[in-house]
Amino acid sequence: YSAVTTQASPCSINGFPLVRNISELPQDSYGRGGLSHITVAGSLLHGLKEVEVWLQTFSPGSFTPIHRHSCEEVFVVMKGSGTLYLAESSHAKYPGKPQEYLIFANSTFHIPVNEVHQVWNTNEHEDLQVLVIISRPPVKVFTYEDWLMPHTAAKLKFPYFWDEQCVQTPQKDEL
Amino acid sequence: YSAVTTQASPCSINGFPLVRNISELPQDSYGRGGLSHITVAGSLLHGLKEVEVWLQTFSPGSFTPIHRHSCEEVFVVMKGSGTLYLAESSHAKYPGKPQEYLIFANSTFHIPVNEVHQVWNTNEHEDLQVLVIISRPPVKVFTYEDWLMPHTAAKLKFPYFWDEQCVQTPQKDEL
Ligand SMILES: [Zn+2]
Ligand SMILES: [Zn+2]
């Protein structure tokens, strides 16, 4: 096994060692300010079909989009603290004002299917590091610009940021 | 929220706070020597349907049974080191001699569906702590007494150790 092989084929499910050192895996912001994302075990990268695991670090003041998805999602907070905003599902046409929950190192929570949520590093002094587990990969996310945006106006973001470079596209050089 | 509520209803999906302190969750060996198991996010405990997350600590020399399951399983090693034994699936009638892989802090690996495996804390000096993610909870495990036991003789252990006290049984006092 060589780390070079892993770097050279970021979208391959072949050539990965069975046991991988997380600190040697590709890490990137994927264009999102303050984010560091690592796909620890992935659908597109490693061939998983039912679960996917990410390690994400949010610098102070950074956050996820306001979003929902129909998969299950579990968070385990490794370091730091922050705030979970969660709009409990209702029959309203938009999420509405979310509940706020303090999240902290060694805490865990899960997001009920289709509930609109956002995770925010509201701690000015420390990174927030979370391990994230989702079902039904690759993730299909609907994003909201604000909490009053109608559910029907939320935009599907697929493939999601870290899956973009790995989704199969037709091989144009074979035409 | 009070920790007492959590302790008093170990099998309820009600009454749990959304954000839970992992160090306040029930922790037990469930009769297995050297094991400490915490269900961080569970099917029977917390109502998850597609994934389940455990935090397990193996004291030096302790290990899982030799086993297989048809769900996906991802490990993230939090502390310590040890050995993964994995018999790659073949058309043989029994698992046969497994491959050995060193596992170490900050490493990750996943077990291919139905491959027979065992995790062992082979480090005499340190606990091995792993975060375990499975799909399709609650887990249905087939256990082997040794690597030469025929697949057809492996025994279904269901409910698994930590699920035993929470599987629904008829309420006899209502007869
Ligand atoms: Zn989410
Ligand atoms: Zn297993």
Side-chain angles (χ1 to χ4, degrees), chain B residues 54-73:
Chain B
W54 309 327
L55 182 63
Q56 298 188 320
T57 307
F58 295 88
S59 66
S62 68
F63 45 81
T64 71
I66 301 171
H67 70 285
R68 71 168 203 266
H69 34 64
S70 57
C71 62
E72 289 187 342
E73 183 172 40

Side-chain angles (χ1 to χ4, degrees), chain B residues 94-106:
Chain B
Y94 54 88
K97 185 174 159 47
Q99 295 279 321
E100 297 182 20
Y101 299 88
L102 175 66
I103 62 178
F104 51 91
N106 212 35

Side-chain angles (χ1 to χ4, degrees), chain A residues 54 67-69 73 75 111 117 134 141:
Chain A
W54 310 327
H67 70 284
R68 71 167 203 265
H69 34 63
E73 183 171 40
F75 286 80
I111 308 296
H117 59 285
I134 59 152
V141 171

Side-chain angles (χ1 to χ4, degrees), chain A residues 18-23 25 40-41 46-51 53 55 70-78 84 86 101-110 112-113 131 133-136, chain B residues 18-23 25 40-41 46-51 53 55 70-78 84 86 101-110 112-113 131 133-136:
Chain A
L18 182 74
V19 180
R20 301 182 297 276
N21 186 336
I22 294 175
S23 47
L25 298 180
V40 170
H46 310 110
L48 287 159
K49 295 189 171 70
E50 302 181 357
V51 294
V53 181
L55 182 63
S70 57
C71 63
E72 289 188 342
E73 183 171 40
V74 178
F75 286 80
V76 177
V77 182
M78 312 298 282
L84 164 68
L86 180 68
Y101 299 88
L102 176 67
I103 62 177
F104 50 91
N106 211 35
S107 72
T108 183
F109 55 94
H110 69 268
V113 165
L131 200 82
I133 294 113
I134 59 152
S135 62
R136 302 191 226 169
Chain B
L18 182 74
V19 180
R20 300 182 297 274
N21 186 336
I22 294 174
S23 48
L25 299 180
V40 170
H46 310 111
L48 288 159
K49 295 190 169 71
E50 302 182 357
V51 295
V53 181
L55 182 63
S70 57
C71 62
E72 289 187 342
E73 183 172 40
V74 178
F75 286 81
V76 177
V77 182
M78 313 297 284
L84 164 67
L86 180 68
Y101 299 88
L102 175 66
I103 62 178
F104 51 91
N106 212 35
S107 71
T108 184
F109 55 94
H110 67 267
V113 164
L131 199 81
I133 294 112
I134 60 152
S135 62
R136 301 190 225 171

